[in-house]
Amino acid sequence: MSLRVTVWNEFRHEKNDPEVAAIYPDGIHAALASALRAHGIDEVRTATLDEPEHGLDVETLASTDVLIWWGHLHHEDVADEVVDRVQQRVLEGMGLVVLHSGHGSRVFRRLMGTTCNLIWREADDTEVLWNVAPGHPITEGIGQRFIIEREEMYGEHFEVPTPDELVFISWFSGGEVFRSGACYRRGAGKIFYFRPGHETYPTYHNPQVQRVIANGVRWAAPQVAWSSNFGNPAPVIAR
Amino acid sequence: MSLRVTVWNEFRHEKNDPEVAAIYPDGIHAALASALRAHGIDEVRTATLDEPEHGLDVETLASTDVLIWWGHLHHEDVADEVVDRVQQRVLEGMGLVVLHSGHGSRVFRRLMGTTCNLIWREADDTEVLWNVAPGHPITEGIGQRFIIEREEMYGEHFEVPTPDELVFISWFSGGEVFRSGACYRRGAGKIFYFRPGHETYPTYHNPQVQRVIANGVRWAAPQVAWSSNFGNPAPVIAR
Amino acid sequence: MSLRVTVWNEFRHEKNDPEVAAIYPDGIHAALASALRAHGIDEVRTATLDEPEHGLDVETLASTDVLIWWGHLHHEDVADEVVDRVQQRVLEGMGLVVLHSGHGSRVFRRLMGTTCNLIWREADDTEVLWNVAPGHPITEGIGQRFIIEREEMYGEHFEVPTPDELVFISWFSGGEVFRSGACYRRGAGKIFYFRPGHETYPTYHNPQVQRVIANGVRWAAPQVAWSSNFGNPAPVIAR
Amino acid sequence: MSLRVTVWNEFRHEKNDPEVAAIYPDGIHAALASALRAHGIDEVRTATLDEPEHGLDVETLASTDVLIWWGHLHHEDVADEVVDRVQQRVLEGMGLVVLHSGHGSRVFRRLMGTTCNLIWREADDTEVLWNVAPGHPITEGIGQRFIIEREEMYGEHFEVPTPDELVFISWFSGGEVFRSGACYRRGAGKIFYFRPGHETYPTYHNPQVQRVIANGVRWAAPQVAWSSNFGNPAPVIAR
């Protein structure tokens, strides 16, 4: 079965900030789509905030197996209707990979039920990501740990529900830690939150980051068709 | 420390349906408040849907340690502002006990991030509730199991996140099972969902049901003051 | 990658009890191996208690991706050395599927750290298994629930650690419930406990039971090579 | 109800190593007992490896609500019978607080089912412990984080089952992270693993470490009497 991915990006930093445009000239979404293709995931589309329905119309979501989400400063510009639609598709089985500042997106907050707040600092911290789930498919090819030389710091407390599976914990040179790779099941859908990716660093060109995202997409893909059967049934067993 | 409880009830069935009024002449909220007082929880107030701000103004919630929620047919009449306020107070540490058809309330769905749907049947099923968390404070005085002779059936799949702790599983005579006692932590707050309590049965007069609810209130009470400290701090460790 | 399975069976009932021999003339292990082959899992070997080293010598385990375990009355006859060896291989990444009365096996108790006790009754109960993990690969092809007409009853409390994922809950006609499909990660290995399979019933000839076991084997198979890297390393970051 | 605590210590370093004896002249157990008394926990006894039955005879354990465990180099000297007895008491409801190198103790490995291995380094690392469970009773009085100036490093991967609740994550100056405060339920008993406490540092004189241990003892104390009711019962519901 082919795996159909849609990469969603806010896509405003790249248009407004030359520093970001220099790193991601075609946008973060294009860089991520290219990385996924290099990992053998071929059916990759992109969608961005300023498209009609933010590029996430009913047909697009209905034909998406895994949605990737990157947003930062304009979370509140995402329409109610699109938030509802993404939530519903996740509960039906669509995978969702939420990156970095997407922690504050309406979509992620809706699915988590919490603020998803955290502490943060832009100060060229070094980040070490430790694998705490040996054998987990999201860590395939990663080994014990990997290092990102310079990144924004995200620190605890990260106000999310306890992850169903915790995959990475990050160390930052300023003294902080963070639950950087977190897996959730919601309805029939799987959600992977992965921390790295501040727009002023070339994080999505990092081969290990790309690999984790590709692994996360494969992990989140729906494996078993499921049609929820709610309602008011007759007894299973005659009384 | 005294424990301040507010019991919230939709309080429309009791006014519109003589069958329900006969069981709960002063409303489900009054029956629950009385049961809590009999269990030594003295500071109990009530609030209902048709009061201003549904009885849940800022001052009331700010002085509530644990909120109990019973609603059924009029979930959508609860105002956005009140849903936001309850969610925020839970994340700050207020306990929440959600009863029976409260599974579909806006407050519970907001905090869970899922539909919270289930299957159901009104057909005088017998329910057996099995304790699957020995030693847990919510099961104090309950032992291995207890029986409710006649109740509405709720069955799986119950579309909620995996509980942080599962306390009860119900058996129904029609052949169904249900995760009937489920504990969650969200932010600094604790949430207990407890299944029994259809309005046409005298379930909240059942001593074991009353005991579980009193235990649940005590379990959900905030134990440790917590003030979230989000933002943009200096490094903890000089680099 | 080919999936190498070893089916372990105590294999004494079938030699001593004509009722069991009539159902499983070549042993439960042979019936399970045949069912797996019918599900496209080709590399299936068997091993039994009365073979040297119970058929689980170092070479056999080293070339096993997933081990299935069925035992009942002779758990204490399994040698320390073999229990140690199975535990070590699971922690290194070998999958383990424990069936029915294998709940009391030394191998399962060793990996769980608890008694794994439960309540039980041989009285031709009807069992309904409810899927509580929609979309999970172990429930592929199963849907909402399935029924086993006659089985031994197992009931709560089941003294095991809280499962990392709960997949099935069983209903029994005598009024009991049981966490019937339970997933654990231990080290790099995955463990699936699945309840059905009393030796005096033809449960392992049931197509849905066979399908769940085949799904469980595929789920438990190691996906990512992992070599634990314990010890005393130099700092990752120069101080 | 008075809370009866037994502090168990290997108590050999203090007799053999002047550096350790200078820090803990009466042994680590005496320092811990004194700290608990200062926190209002009065009924504190101690027991050590070289006493008969390691000081953990049947009567002592039967009258212990919470057992604290510190061991390091002589784990294998602890007798089978005592390991069995401690495990049984935990499953019946006794609390267990395992400190630092107790991660490798037979008691902890028995209850976890894994190696409980980790990486480590004795190099005067600074440790920052972050609270990742706001509002949890074990973090009462601690706030967002605290610092231990010099400690042994423990790092991931820590080969334990996923904690039922994760309370602290540690940061080390050499670049490592560690799940430093981990809660488990096993049977009716509660287990708290807390990382700090290498014998050559004055860690157990640190007021914040003392407070976490006192909090952990209170959290682990049995709250609800439980008598497991295993066996072969008649049906609950007549068929």
Side-chain angles (χ1 to χ4, degrees):
Chain A
M1 187 184 71
S2 182
L3 178 52
R4 302 162 301 173
V5 179
T6 301
V7 182
W8 191 89
N9 181 18
E10 192 175 283
F11 195 36
R12 287 193 182 159
H13 286 293
E14 299 93 325
K15 291 186 278 195
N16 301 330
D17 181 342
E19 183 187 5
V20 180
I23 302 171
Y24 300 114
D26 302 313
I28 283 174
H29 52 297
L32 291 168
S34 169
L36 292 177
R37 289 189 193 103
H39 277 272
I41 299 171
D42 290 325
E43 286 201 50
V44 184
R45 288 174 296 188
T46 64
T48 58
L49 180 61
D50 293 325
E51 296 174 44
E53 303 186 55
H54 317 317
L56 298 175
D57 53 86
V58 171
E59 295 70 27
T60 297
L61 282 177
S63 59
T64 295
D65 294 312
V66 180
L67 177 66
I68 296 182
W69 195 278
W70 196 101
H72 186 205
L73 295 182
H74 304 284
H75 296 316
E76 302 313 315
D77 293 357
V78 176
D80 281 353
E81 194 181 10
V82 171
V83 176
D84 293 346
R85 198 181 283 162
V86 170
Q87 178 185 26
Q88 184 189 332
R89 279 287 296 135
V90 169
L91 298 178
E92 290 168 2
M94 182 181 76
L96 178 67
V97 175
V98 175
L99 296 176
H100 191 62
S101 43
H103 76 89
S105 64
R106 294 191 65 204
V107 158
F108 191 56
R109 286 184 283 137
R110 172 74 66 83
L111 284 156
M112 295 293 104
T114 60
T115 63
C116 306
N117 280 337
L118 44 79
I119 66 171
W120 54 276
R121 181 176 60 241
E122 294 183 50
D124 290 354
D125 274 83
T126 298
E127 176 175 12
V128 187
L129 290 103
W130 290 88
N131 176 356
V132 296
H136 195 285
I138 290 180
T139 66
E140 205 268 305
I142 293 299
Q144 189 185 32
R145 57 179 162 75
F146 71 100
I147 299 178
I148 302 175
E149 290 299 331
R150 292 181 311 127
E151 249 288 2
E152 183 180 14
M153 180 281 288
Y154 275 11
E156 297 284 344
H157 176 61
F158 184 20
E159 193 173 84
V160 286
T162 295
D164 294 330
E165 298 176 295
L166 182 62
V167 176
F168 290 110
I169 296 176
S170 282
W171 176 103
F172 290 94
S173 44
E176 293 84 6
V177 297
F178 193 74
R179 289 171 291 170
S180 268
C183 299
Y184 297 91
R185 285 183 174 270
R186 290 295 182 268
K190 294 161 90 175
I191 301 169
F192 175 51
Y193 175 79
F194 186 49
R195 196 213 74 82
H198 190 62
E199 67 275 4
T200 61
Y201 299 106
T203 297
Y204 295 126
H205 299 310
N206 178 313
Q208 284 156 309
V209 169
Q210 292 178 352
R211 176 178 277 263
V212 171
I213 295 170
N215 290 344
V217 164
R218 288 202 167 91
W219 171 84
Q223 295 173 273
V224 179
W226 173 261
S227 167
S228 282
N229 196 356
F230 298 125
N232 181 3
V236 172
I237 302 291
R239 291 172 296 166
Chain B
M1 187 184 69
S2 180
L3 178 52
R4 301 162 301 172
V5 179
T6 301
V7 181
W8 192 89
N9 181 17
E10 194 175 280
F11 195 36
R12 288 194 182 158
H13 286 292
E14 299 93 326
K15 291 185 278 194
N16 302 329
D17 182 342
E19 183 186 4
V20 180
I23 302 172
Y24 300 113
D26 301 315
I28 284 175
H29 52 296
L32 290 168
S34 168
L36 292 176
R37 290 190 193 102
H39 277 272
I41 299 170
D42 291 325
E43 286 201 48
V44 184
R45 288 174 296 189
T46 63
T48 58
L49 180 61
D50 293 325
E51 297 174 44
E53 302 186 57
H54 316 318
L56 298 175
D57 53 87
V58 171
E59 295 70 26
T60 297
L61 282 177
S63 58
T64 295
D65 294 313
V66 179
L67 177 67
I68 297 182
W69 195 278
W70 197 99
H72 187 204
L73 295 181
H74 305 284
H75 297 316
E76 301 313 314
D77 293 357
V78 177
D80 281 354
E81 195 180 9
V82 171
V83 176
D84 292 347
R85 199 181 282 160
V86 170
Q87 178 185 28
Q88 183 189 331
R89 280 286 294 135
V90 169
L91 299 178
E92 290 168 3
M94 182 182 75
L96 179 67
V97 174
V98 176
L99 296 176
H100 191 62
S101 43
H103 76 89
S105 64
R106 296 190 65 202
V107 158
F108 191 57
R109 286 184 283 137
R110 173 73 68 81
L111 284 157
M112 295 292 104
T114 60
T115 63
C116 306
N117 281 336
L118 44 80
I119 67 171
W120 54 277
R121 181 178 58 241
E122 294 184 51
D124 289 353
D125 274 85
T126 298
E127 177 175 11
V128 187
L129 291 103
W130 290 88
N131 176 356
V132 296
H136 195 286
I138 290 181
T139 66
E140 205 269 306
I142 293 299
Q144 190 186 31
R145 58 178 161 76
F146 71 100
I147 299 178
I148 301 175
E149 290 300 331
R150 292 181 310 127
E151 248 288 1
E152 184 181 15
M153 180 280 290
Y154 275 13
E156 297 283 343
H157 177 62
F158 184 21
E159 192 173 85
V160 286
T162 295
D164 294 331
E165 298 176 295
L166 182 61
V167 175
F168 290 110
I169 297 176
S170 283
W171 177 103
F172 290 94
S173 44
E176 293 84 5
V177 298
F178 193 73
R179 290 171 291 170
S180 268
C183 299
Y184 297 91
R185 286 183 172 271
R186 289 297 182 268
K190 294 160 90 176
I191 302 168
F192 175 50
Y193 175 78
F194 186 49
R195 196 213 75 83
H198 189 61
E199 67 276 3
T200 60
Y201 299 104
T203 298
Y204 296 127
H205 299 308
N206 177 313
Q208 284 155 310
V209 169
Q210 292 179 352
R211 177 177 277 261
V212 172
I213 294 171
N215 290 344
V217 164
R218 287 202 168 91
W219 172 85
Q223 296 173 275
V224 179
W226 173 261
S227 167
S228 281
N229 196 356
F230 298 124
N232 180 3
V236 172
I237 302 291
R239 290 170 298 168
Chain C
M1 186 184 71
S2 181
L3 178 53
R4 302 161 303 174
V5 179
T6 301
V7 181
W8 192 89
N9 181 18
E10 194 174 280
F11 195 35
R12 287 194 183 159
H13 286 292
E14 299 93 327
K15 291 185 278 195
N16 301 332
D17 182 341
E19 183 188 4
V20 179
I23 302 171
Y24 300 113
D26 301 314
I28 283 174
H29 52 296
L32 290 169
S34 169
L36 292 176
R37 290 188 193 103
H39 277 271
I41 299 171
D42 291 325
E43 286 201 50
V44 184
R45 289 174 295 190
T46 63
T48 57
L49 180 61
D50 293 326
E51 297 174 45
E53 304 185 56
H54 317 316
L56 298 175
D57 53 87
V58 171
E59 294 71 25
T60 297
L61 281 177
S63 58
T64 295
D65 295 312
V66 180
L67 178 66
I68 295 181
W69 195 278
W70 196 100
H72 186 204
L73 295 181
H74 305 285
H75 296 317
E76 302 313 314
D77 293 357
V78 176
D80 280 355
E81 194 181 11
V82 171
V83 176
D84 293 347
R85 199 182 282 161
V86 170
Q87 177 186 27
Q88 183 189 332
R89 280 286 295 135
V90 169
L91 298 178
E92 290 168 2
M94 182 181 75
L96 178 67
V97 175
V98 175
L99 296 176
H100 190 64
S101 43
H103 77 88
S105 65
R106 295 192 64 202
V107 158
F108 191 57
R109 286 184 284 137
R110 173 72 69 82
L111 283 157
M112 296 293 103
T114 60
T115 62
C116 306
N117 281 337
L118 44 80
I119 66 170
W120 53 276
R121 180 178 60 241
E122 295 184 49
D124 289 353
D125 275 84
T126 299
E127 177 175 11
V128 187
L129 291 103
W130 290 88
N131 175 358
V132 295
H136 195 285
I138 290 180
T139 66
E140 206 268 306
I142 293 299
Q144 189 186 32
R145 57 177 161 76
F146 70 100
I147 299 178
I148 302 175
E149 290 299 333
R150 292 183 309 126
E151 248 289 0
E152 183 180 15
M153 180 279 290
Y154 275 13
E156 297 284 343
H157 176 61
F158 185 21
E159 193 173 84
V160 285
T162 295
D164 293 331
E165 297 176 295
L166 182 61
V167 176
F168 291 111
I169 297 176
S170 283
W171 177 102
F172 291 94
S173 45
E176 294 83 6
V177 297
F178 193 74
R179 289 172 291 169
S180 267
C183 299
Y184 298 91
R185 285 182 173 271
R186 289 297 181 267
K190 292 160 91 176
I191 302 169
F192 175 50
Y193 175 77
F194 187 49
R195 196 213 75 84
H198 190 61
E199 68 275 3
T200 60
Y201 299 105
T203 298
Y204 296 126
H205 299 310
N206 176 314
Q208 284 156 310
V209 169
Q210 292 179 352
R211 177 177 277 260
V212 171
I213 295 171
N215 289 344
V217 164
R218 287 201 167 93
W219 171 85
Q223 296 173 274
V224 179
W226 174 261
S227 167
S228 281
N229 195 356
F230 299 125
N232 180 2
V236 172
I237 302 291
R239 289 171 298 168
Chain D
M1 187 183 72
S2 182
L3 177 53
R4 301 162 302 173
V5 178
T6 301
V7 181
W8 191 89
N9 181 19
E10 194 175 281
F11 195 34
R12 287 193 182 160
H13 286 293
E14 298 93 326
K15 291 186 278 195
N16 301 330
D17 182 340
E19 183 188 5
V20 179
I23 302 171
Y24 300 112
D26 301 314
I28 283 174
H29 51 298
L32 290 169
S34 169
L36 292 176
R37 288 188 195 104
H39 277 271
I41 299 171
D42 291 325
E43 286 200 51
V44 184
R45 289 173 296 189
T46 63
T48 57
L49 180 62
D50 292 326
E51 296 174 44
E53 303 185 59
H54 317 317
L56 298 175
D57 53 87
V58 170
E59 294 71 25
T60 297
L61 282 177
S63 58
T64 295
D65 294 313
V66 179
L67 177 66
I68 296 181
W69 194 278
W70 196 100
H72 187 204
L73 295 181
H74 304 284
H75 296 315
E76 302 313 315
D77 294 357
V78 176
D80 281 353
E81 195 181 9
V82 172
V83 176
D84 293 346
R85 198 181 284 162
V86 170
Q87 178 186 27
Q88 183 189 332
R89 279 286 296 136
V90 169
L91 298 178
E92 290 168 2
M94 183 181 75
L96 179 67
V97 175
V98 176
L99 296 176
H100 190 64
S101 45
H103 77 89
S105 65
R106 295 191 65 204
V107 159
F108 191 58
R109 287 184 282 136
R110 173 73 68 83
L111 283 156
M112 296 293 104
T114 60
T115 62
C116 306
N117 281 336
L118 45 79
I119 67 171
W120 54 276
R121 180 177 61 240
E122 295 184 48
D124 290 353
D125 275 83
T126 298
E127 177 175 11
V128 187
L129 291 102
W130 290 87
N131 176 357
V132 296
H136 195 286
I138 290 180
T139 65
E140 205 269 305
I142 292 299
Q144 188 185 35
R145 58 177 161 75
F146 70 100
I147 298 178
I148 302 174
E149 290 299 333
R150 292 180 311 125
E151 248 289 357
E152 183 180 15
M153 181 281 289
Y154 275 11
E156 297 283 343
H157 178 62
F158 184 20
E159 193 174 84
V160 285
T162 295
D164 293 330
E165 297 176 296
L166 183 61
V167 175
F168 290 111
I169 296 176
S170 283
W171 176 102
F172 291 95
S173 45
E176 294 84 5
V177 298
F178 193 73
R179 289 171 292 170
S180 267
C183 299
Y184 298 91
R185 283 182 174 271
R186 290 296 182 267
K190 293 161 91 175
I191 302 169
F192 175 50
Y193 175 79
F194 186 49
R195 196 213 74 82
H198 189 62
E199 67 275 4
T200 60
Y201 300 105
T203 298
Y204 295 127
H205 299 309
N206 177 314
Q208 284 156 309
V209 169
Q210 292 178 353
R211 177 177 277 263
V212 171
I213 295 171
N215 290 345
V217 164
R218 287 202 168 93
W219 171 83
Q223 296 174 273
V224 180
W226 174 262
S227 166
S228 281
N229 195 356
F230 298 125
N232 180 3
V236 171
I237 302 291
R239 290 172 296 164

